[in-house]
Amino acid sequence: MQDDTIYENDDAKEAVRRLPENLYDDREFRIKRALDMHVRQQILPKPQWTEYEDKAYLEPSLKEVLWERKGREE
């Protein structure tokens, strides 16, 4: 998913920390699977590919974190 590849600065790390457990676990599984396949220099079989979803699961949490940080800075 697109949000799996976001650069993890402090705000993104906080947003990931706030994810519900099931979304966090799914994200970690996809990242670990991608790293494992990369190390093995293999391509994941097509039946196991994750369907592309245009839904950004991290964006709502990230917006909230940015809004809170801006509030503290003002």
Side-chain angles (χ1 to χ4, degrees):
M1 296 179 87
Q2 186 175 358
D3 283 350
D4 292 346
T5 62
I6 192 168
Y7 175 73
E8 288 195 18
N9 58 15
D10 291 338
D11 294 330
K13 287 178 185 178
E14 178 62 22
V16 168
R17 188 188 68 75
R18 294 182 183 190
L19 285 174
E21 187 176 353
N22 64 328
L23 288 177
Y24 179 81
D25 290 344
D26 290 348
R27 179 180 195 274
E28 290 299 310
F29 174 77
R30 288 189 303 270
I31 291 171
K32 287 178 182 179
R33 180 175 59 181
L35 289 172
D36 182 51
M37 298 306 287
H38 176 76
V39 167
R40 293 188 203 184
Q41 296 182 353
Q42 295 178 347
I43 297 174
L44 192 66
K46 192 163 186 161
Q48 295 179 20
W49 288 8
T50 302
E51 293 294 320
Y52 177 76
E53 296 179 23
D54 200 17
K55 180 180 172 191
Y57 67 90
L58 191 59
E59 188 175 340
S61 295
L62 188 55
K63 284 182 179 181
E64 182 179 327
V65 169
L66 292 173
W67 180 77
E68 289 174 1
R69 185 171 51 83
K70 284 182 182 183
R72 284 192 307 261
E73 290 176 354
E74 291 177 352

